[in-house]
Amino acid sequence: MGLEKKLKKVLSSGKKEVINSFFEEIYNKYKGLVFYVVYKYIDNKDDVKDIVQDVFISFFNNADKLDNNIKSYLTMIARNKALNFINKHNKMNLVDVKNLDLLVEKKQVSYLDEALSLLKKNLKDIE
């Protein structure tokens, strides 16, 4: 029996220990593949482990909706989660905190220079 048919049968049984055992079987069978897929995109092993965990949580939460091959589905989720992680962290790192402090200082100096320039101009107009 294929894993997809077995999944449907296990889920329809409603037996928690049977479902847990099957999910453990899926995890043990595909954890290496999922790790490999994520690691192709992200080289930090701690981040990869977190994403792998998220992949299997997503699979377990949506297993009843699965209509295609489990291996393909897990690979697709792994790739998408890795790319989402990259996008999220690239957006967050666009402004470095050190550069932000420097930018604020430059803006403050710029505003101060502008204010002093206006003050000097106004003082000349008064004289």
Side-chain angles (χ1 to χ4, degrees):
M1 176 183 307
L3 282 177
E4 293 74 21
K5 287 182 181 179
K6 188 175 178 182
L7 173 64
K8 300 277 186 203
K9 186 176 180 180
V10 165
L11 290 175
S12 66
S13 77
K15 296 178 183 175
K16 194 168 190 147
E17 63 272 352
V18 174
I19 294 170
N20 288 341
S21 176
F22 181 73
F23 281 148
E24 188 175 336
E25 179 184 337
I26 296 291
Y27 176 78
N28 288 330
K29 182 171 182 154
Y30 292 113
K31 68 182 175 187
L33 172 67
V34 172
F35 187 93
Y36 173 76
V37 170
V38 175
Y39 195 69
K40 284 188 343 185
Y41 296 95
I42 299 164
D43 62 354
N44 181 311
K45 285 190 180 180
D46 290 331
D47 291 334
V48 172
K49 287 177 184 177
D50 289 342
I51 294 169
V52 168
Q53 184 178 16
D54 287 345
V55 168
F56 281 100
I57 289 170
S58 291
F59 171 72
F60 299 148
N61 288 335
N62 297 299
D64 58 331
K65 300 171 192 156
L66 182 68
D67 287 331
N68 56 343
N69 184 290
I70 292 173
K71 182 178 178 181
S72 299
Y73 187 72
L74 287 170
T75 303
M76 179 187 67
I77 295 172
R79 180 181 169 275
N80 289 343
K81 288 201 177 280
L83 292 174
N84 289 342
F85 179 88
I86 291 168
N87 286 335
K88 178 181 175 186
H89 285 80
N90 281 344
K91 288 177 185 172
M92 288 175 52
N93 292 331
L94 285 177
V95 178
D96 186 9
V97 174
K98 293 174 193 170
N99 292 338
L100 183 61
D101 289 342
L102 185 60
L103 181 64
V104 168
E105 287 178 59
K106 285 182 180 178
K107 284 266 189 209
Q108 288 172 345
V109 168
S110 173
Y111 290 134
L112 185 57
D113 287 343
E114 189 176 324
L116 286 174
S117 175
L118 283 172
L119 183 60
K120 286 179 185 177
K121 182 180 176 197
N122 287 335
L123 287 175
K124 284 184 183 178
D125 289 343
I126 295 174
E127 294 176 346

